[in-house]
Amino acid sequence: MPKNYDPRAVEAKWRKLWEDEKIYEADLKKANDPYYGLVMFPYPSGDKLHVGHWYNFAPADSFFRFTRMQGKDVFTPMGFDAFGLPAENYAIKTGIHPDASTKKNVQTMIEQLHRMGCMYDWAKMVNTSTPEYYRWTQWLFLQMFRNGLAYKKQGMVNWCPSCQTVLANEQVKEGTCERCGTEVIQKPLEQWFWKITNYCERLLSGLKDLAWPEKTKLMQRNWIGKSVGCDVSWKVEGSDVVLDTFTTTVDTIFGVTFVVISPEHPELLKITSKAHRKEVEKYIGAASKKTELDRVAETKDKSGVFTGSFVLHPFTGAKVPLWVADYVLMNYGTGVVMGVPAHDQRDKDFAEKYSLPIIQSIRSEAGESFVYDDVDKYHVKGTIVESGPFTGMQILEGRKVIIGELEKRGLGKPRIVFRLRDWLVSRQRYWGAPIPVVYDPEGKPHPVPEEHLPWLLPTDVEFKPTGKSPLTESKEFVARTEKIFGKGWRPEYDTMDTFVCSSFYELRYLMEGDPKTFIDQKFEKKWMPVSMYIGGPEHATMHLIYARFVMMALKDFGFVSHEEPFKSLVHQGLITHKGAKMSKSKGNVVSPDAFVDRYGADVFRMYLMFMGPFSDGGDWSDLGIKGIDRFVQRAWDVLTTQVSKDAKEDKEFQSLLHRTIKRVTDSISSFHFNTALSALMEFLNAAEALPAVSPDTAKTFTLLLAPLAPHLTEELWEQLGGKDFVINQTWPSYDKNLLQSASMTIAVQVNGKLRGTIRVPSDMPDAEVIAAAREEENVKKFLTTAPKKELYVKGRLVSFVV
Ligand code: ANZ
């Protein structure tokens, strides 16, 4: 028997056996107790797997191994989210075709993932950039189109001048491109959208039944942004135009001193007075250059110009000046806002800048004025003041009365507005799934019939960003289109956002590449929703909303039976280095490879898990990994040299074993791998102190360690004479009656300082524990007078105050 544990030989040996025996391939048909364990699939970049990948995948794998040992038929697939800008940018730089570089990167990553020793079912792998996969991305587009959920619209879009492509709102971070950091500009373009806004209510209400982190659900709620309020109609003086404003707080309607219209509003020039036309036109031009984010930023200086026109107050008939200002957005509510400078911060900034009157119309319970930015507008308390017939009413009550009164007069109606915008799915880039649409000679779009899927991505294309879709250069693409559809027909040159590819991949894993059926309902019913989904919190809004929307749409189209794709969700924390996020630009990236070479995959993954609770992440240090390595060597030592049938284990030791089983079980269940490891370390200390441990104890310990150290424990299991693979064993259960330790250690404090410890029987009555604490030699020295106060925290601590 080798004296030291040699991870290199052992890990390779077991990986080969696992593969040869195909023990991680799930039988999707036969499985009795299906459990779908999914990790967010990676993007195959040219860089090797980094610590972040390991921190996502390895602990997730430990959780799924644990679940399998508890008797579930666990299916955990892996794949690659392989379309996207990095491969294309790389092609621009090097001239290497994205297909070639992606294939190579995928290959390298598969090899690296193998070394991790995760129990992935590789037979079900997907790669979103292959025609076998993207035919379904295109098929999904056709379903959306057929069902009226895909449409084309000219609109102002976020444009990254460096990536030369459109970005979704979600991809703009603080006014810059999420990928390259370049400032994003606004550009008018014809784009394809998917009507996710049809699903606002369902996306919101579905959240309550999901076992997801509360923070993530809150982010989705805010992103969907439901506002309950009403529209109010304002007649423009001397014109037949009526402008509607959307407000959530109509209780402030007597505080309106101006109305603001968005620069993009279609009626704006029509209602602008002649004298103000020039100035308004100039203002419209300036506003069009700003990003939405800039316009709504609280900190930015407000700007606007008077239109020369007035609107009439629906209750008083008073003339209210109409201004145009870019802090009012056209694509929210009605694009017109009633200005209430006494109770809205932006209106207040605006009124102060342009010397417009400020009139109070509501008051808090304490009788003070307030702005709505500081209170919860749906639960606010206070009264309406100086508001004609509504004066003296409670704010919330008054709001209802005012809406009712407006409705009666035909000057308003209740309305719900959502912040969520339709999903912009087209991209002017090469490395994505071509949108399966062709245009007839009149320019009318037609879906490509399903028989022509996959609608192949052409290859005769250069990769220079020109602002036009690179597919416009392909001669083959046009020739293909004309051949099938007729002369003068043109293909759609845009490709799809890669978030489309990842919005349904969990369904395709279940189909093993089947080219005829998108999803077989038998499998969908059996395996969906995903039992546990694990991945980064950065996907809280985009991916995790899109995938929910697509599932709901597919249900409505009749392809799936479930409404939600992911029942439970857990996010891993961030691994930092010297307190900062690891990034190439900071030069603080730690490569796992050297550590895996030296210590093995098991030690490396356990070290990551030991850093702290999985959801918290932790700070990397080289020192910690040595401690884990020592633990592994010691465990090896005890289990290979100290096991004997004649071992004598007393009741106390048995109790410790059962407490350890409970602690490890509870810890892994709650993703606290760190405390599972602590429990195993404490147990190992106790085992080392004995002359020998029994084979049963050794086996139980091995089983408990198996999810965390899959290779090591297979080897130990074999050495201990265990049958089959360790991963095919049943998780140990504990005996409740043995959980109570026969004795316990109690700390004794005097005036808050630790002065000694006592060891007493676990069932000793409280009074006797306190008495024993008082008799402790060192404690006695500090109890010169009778204690004023005695406190006993059961099982842990006696505290005296003198
Ligand atoms: C009058 C008012 C008084 C408002 C007050 C607020 C406070 P949420 O909750 O985010 O939906 N608003 C409406 N449409 C807008 C647009 N297109 N661009 C910019 N602002 C717009 O906010 C609703 C409030 O946002 C609305 O209620 C409106 O201002 C403003 F003390 O109306 B309020």
Side-chain angles (χ1 to χ4, degrees):
M1 221 170 278
K3 207 168 156 24
N4 284 318
Y5 173 62
D6 174 13
R8 238 164 302 189
V10 169
E11 292 190 348
K13 164 184 161 185
W14 287 102
R15 279 198 298 268
K16 175 149 190 336
L17 284 168
W18 294 335
E19 232 168 277
D20 291 351
E21 305 278 324
K22 299 189 192 313
I23 64 163
Y24 300 138
E25 275 184 34
D27 189 332
L28 299 178
K29 268 203 200 91
K30 286 207 193 115
N32 287 317
D33 195 358
Y35 184 99
Y36 193 165
L38 186 64
V39 289
M40 291 182 185
F41 62 167
Y43 179 83
S45 85
D47 305 317
K48 297 208 165 171
L49 287 190
H50 52 74
V51 174
H53 286 123
W54 274 81
Y55 195 65
N56 181 356
F57 300 152
D61 178 65
S62 292
F63 183 81
F64 296 143
R65 285 175 177 274
F66 165 73
T67 307
R68 170 165 167 157
M69 291 176 78
Q70 287 188 315
K72 296 278 185 194
D73 288 311
V74 177
F75 170 47
T76 155
M78 179 47 89
F80 298 93
D81 189 14
F83 270 139
L85 272 180
E88 193 171 340
N89 288 341
Y90 183 72
I92 292 164
K93 216 162 74 190
T94 62
I96 296 171
H97 195 281
D99 189 45
S101 64
T102 301
K103 281 210 176 98
K104 187 169 152 270
N105 291 340
V106 164
Q107 213 34 55
T108 320
M109 261 174 116
I110 289 176
E111 280 158 30
Q112 289 186 300
L113 283 165
H114 271 298
R115 270 193 88 185
M116 230 181 246
C118 297
M119 53 171 203
Y120 298 129
D121 181 346
W122 287 103
K124 322 284 195 298
M125 183 182 90
V126 300
N127 172 343
T128 60
S129 70
T130 57
E132 300 81 60
Y133 186 93
Y134 72 67
R135 70 177 299 139
W136 298 112
T137 314
Q138 296 172 326
W139 174 90
L140 181 63
F141 187 99
L142 296 181
Q143 299 308 321
M144 292 286 182
F145 189 86
R146 216 164 276 156
N147 289 281
L149 291 181
Y151 67 96
K152 210 174 182 188
K153 180 182 88 174
Q154 157 104 5
M156 293 301 275
V157 296
N158 303 306
W159 180 262
C160 172
S162 161
C163 296
Q164 293 276 334
T165 190
V166 154
L167 301 172
N169 279 343
E170 293 89 328
Q171 291 168 321
V172 182
K173 297 274 134 78
E174 286 162 15
T176 65
C177 170
E178 168 186 72
R179 286 215 180 274
C180 70
T182 306
E183 195 151 329
V184 172
I185 60 165
Q186 300 296 297
K187 194 167 159 168
L189 266 184
E190 282 256 301
Q191 297 289 328
W192 285 98
F193 292 85
W194 283 4
K195 261 193 200 160
I196 190 173
T197 53
N198 278 17
Y199 288 79
C200 288
E201 284 291 359
R202 269 161 83 180
L203 287 166
L204 267 182
S205 61
L207 285 172
K208 69 176 182 316
D209 301 323
L210 298 178
W212 286 22
E214 276 313 314
K215 202 175 149 198
T216 305
K217 291 205 230 180
L218 183 66
M219 280 172 80
Q220 292 217 343
R221 281 193 195 101
N222 290 339
W223 192 259
I224 298 163
K226 179 176 179 173
S227 290
V228 182
C230 69
D231 280 355
V232 181
S233 304
W234 305 73
K235 199 180 162 340
V236 179
E237 193 196 31
S239 142
D240 49 8
V241 174
V242 175
L243 294 176
D244 282 347
T245 56
F246 170 71
T247 179
T248 44
T249 52
V250 76
D251 42 284
T252 61
I253 194 158
F254 280 76
V256 175
T257 60
F258 57 94
V259 166
V260 194
I261 185 168
S262 162
E264 293 85 24
H265 198 287
E267 307 272 22
L268 171 56
L269 286 174
K270 196 163 145 199
I271 53 181
T272 301
S273 77
K274 248 206 188 114
H276 290 81
R277 198 179 170 98
K278 262 223 168 81
E279 213 187 335
V280 168
E281 276 175 346
K282 198 171 133 211
Y283 187 77
I284 295 172
S288 74
K289 296 204 178 71
K290 289 202 211 165
T291 66
E292 191 172 304
L293 229 94
D294 258 351
R295 286 169 52 164
V296 298
E298 303 283 335
T299 47
K300 291 273 156 64
D301 196 24
K302 301 277 165 298
S303 72
V305 294
F306 181 43
T307 62
S309 293
F310 293 86
V311 294
L312 303 176
H313 193 284
F315 288 114
T316 66
K319 279 172 63 173
V320 177
L322 178 66
W323 285 64
V324 54
D326 64 12
Y327 73 92
V328 175
L329 303 173
M330 192 54 227
N331 65 2
Y332 188 73
T334 58
V336 190
V337 173
M338 56 186 227
V340 183
H343 306 295
D344 182 88
Q345 191 59 47
R346 287 175 307 177
D347 294 346
K348 190 172 176 181
D349 297 344
F350 192 75
E352 280 168 356
K353 180 160 176 190
Y354 296 107
S355 306
L356 295 161
I358 298 176
I359 300 173
Q360 246 196 72
S361 55
I362 47 171
R363 222 179 260 158
S364 72
E365 274 184 315
E368 283 157 8
S369 184
F370 63 90
V371 286
Y372 264 115
D373 310 61
D374 300 334
V375 301
D376 173 354
K377 61 190 164 209
Y378 299 117
H379 298 97
V380 63
K381 289 206 173 104
T383 45
I384 296 180
V385 298
E386 314 269 338
S387 298
F390 311 107
T391 304
M393 289 183 182
Q394 289 295 303
I395 290 179
L396 295 184
E397 188 47 36
R399 209 178 273 173
K400 281 191 220 140
V401 177
I402 295 174
I403 295 178
E405 196 55 38
L406 286 168
E407 262 191 298
K408 239 192 265 164
R409 301 181 187 199
L411 291 174
K413 54 180 183 317
R415 174 156 149 174
I416 291 172
V417 161
F418 292 92
R419 200 178 92 91
L420 188 68
R421 301 271 78 91
D422 277 338
W423 177 9
L424 198 169
V425 296
S426 45
R427 296 288 182 276
Q428 293 66 51
R429 295 302 305 229
Y430 174 74
W431 194 231
I435 291 178
V437 165
V438 286
Y439 296 89
D440 63 26
E442 276 79 57
K444 188 171 175 291
H446 301 264
V448 172
E450 248 174 72
E451 65 195 271
H452 297 298
L453 300 189
W455 186 238
L456 289 176
L457 182 65
T459 49
D460 54 337
V461 166
E462 290 276 335
F463 307 106
K464 275 182 240 104
T466 59
K468 274 203 248 155
S469 172
L471 297 195
T472 50
E473 290 169 26
S474 165
K475 294 203 173 67
E476 180 272 321
F477 205 27
V478 175
R480 186 201 316 169
T481 305
E482 290 203 321
K483 190 166 159 221
I484 296 173
F485 299 96
K487 223 176 152 36
W489 285 63
R490 288 289 169 269
E492 166 64 63
Y493 295 113
D494 287 356
T495 52
M496 272 183 265
D497 179 11
T498 55
F499 278 112
V500 177
C501 313
S502 56
S503 67
F504 62 91
Y505 75 118
E506 74 283 3
L507 295 170
R508 287 303 298 169
Y509 277 137
L510 297 171
M511 293 309 292
E512 299 185 46
D514 187 320
K516 291 198 199 73
T517 314
F518 173 71
I519 180 72
D520 181 332
Q521 283 233 8
K522 274 199 306 296
F523 289 149
E524 190 270 335
K525 280 211 179 86
K526 181 169 179 178
W527 288 93
M528 291 294 287
V530 167
S531 318
M532 172 59 75
Y533 195 27
I534 300 178
E538 67 278 14
H539 293 294
T541 49
M542 289 182 274
H543 165 58
L544 286 169
I545 284 191
Y546 296 149
R548 294 182 61 218
F549 156 56
V550 166
M551 191 74 182
M552 289 172 186
L554 286 170
K555 185 183 176 203
D556 291 350
F557 305 159
F559 293 107
V560 298
S561 65
H562 292 94
E563 172 96 356
E564 293 283 347
F566 314 120
K567 192 162 73 187
S568 300
L569 172 74
V570 167
H571 298 305
Q572 75 272 19
L574 193 66
I575 297 297
T576 53
H577 190 201
K578 299 189 175 115
K581 186 179 169 178
M582 286 188 199
S583 81
K584 263 201 220 157
S585 59
K586 287 202 193 84
N588 65 346
V589 176
V590 175
S591 157
D593 294 10
F595 294 97
V596 178
D597 284 344
R598 175 145 175 222
Y599 298 105
D602 285 353
V603 167
F604 189 71
R605 68 149 81 184
M606 278 195 283
Y607 168 58
L608 292 176
M609 289 190 268
F610 197 54
M611 279 184 184
F614 180 58
S615 302
D616 291 1
D619 199 53
W620 171 268
S621 114
D622 302 8
L623 296 173
I625 197 166
K626 293 209 181 87
I628 300 292
D629 184 47
R630 266 196 304 277
F631 164 69
V632 164
Q633 296 295 346
R634 281 170 47 213
W636 175 262
D637 211 41
V638 170
L639 297 188
T640 56
T641 64
Q642 233 173 285
V643 181
S644 157
K645 281 201 201 74
D646 307 324
K648 294 215 172 21
E649 295 169 350
D650 62 7
K651 210 166 161 231
E652 184 62 36
F653 187 76
Q654 276 301 311
S655 167
L656 177 64
L657 177 64
H658 283 258
R659 274 179 285 139
T660 305
I661 298 172
K662 182 173 189 319
R663 271 178 74 190
V664 174
T665 307
D666 294 349
S667 297
I668 300 184
S669 303
S670 62
F671 288 84
H672 287 76
F673 305 103
N674 55 330
T675 50
L677 263 168
S678 305
L680 289 166
M681 288 171 176
E682 280 168 35
F683 182 80
L684 186 66
N685 287 343
E688 267 179 332
L690 294 181
V693 292
S694 71
D696 278 352
T697 297
K699 280 188 175 168
T700 302
F701 180 84
T702 305
L703 294 175
L704 293 178
L705 186 58
L708 310 176
H711 309 89
L712 165 72
T713 50
E714 289 288 9
E715 184 69 18
L716 284 171
W717 188 250
E718 189 181 61
Q719 304 250 356
L720 291 167
K723 297 270 159 341
D724 197 354
F725 290 95
V726 77
I727 186 65
N728 289 338
Q729 306 307 310
T730 304
W731 188 251
S733 55
Y734 54 85
D735 180 347
K736 277 206 185 92
N737 298 318
L738 286 175
L739 289 182
Q740 276 300 331
S741 165
S743 62
M744 55 189 178
T745 305
I746 307 286
V748 188
Q749 289 184 346
V750 181
N751 288 346
K753 285 210 173 69
L754 181 70
R755 295 304 182 189
T757 58
I758 51 169
R759 189 119 186 111
V760 295
S762 296
D763 52 4
M764 188 183 245
D766 294 5
E768 285 177 39
V769 174
I770 295 172
R774 219 183 269 151
E775 291 310 306
E776 204 274 343
E777 278 312 310
N778 193 46
V779 172
K780 258 193 200 161
K781 283 191 227 155
F782 293 91
L783 294 180
T784 43
T785 56
K788 276 189 270 181
K789 233 174 155 182
E790 300 170 344
L791 176 81
Y792 174 43
V793 183
K794 223 174 170 50
R796 290 177 53 201
L797 170 88
V798 174
S799 171
F800 296 111
V801 178
V802 293

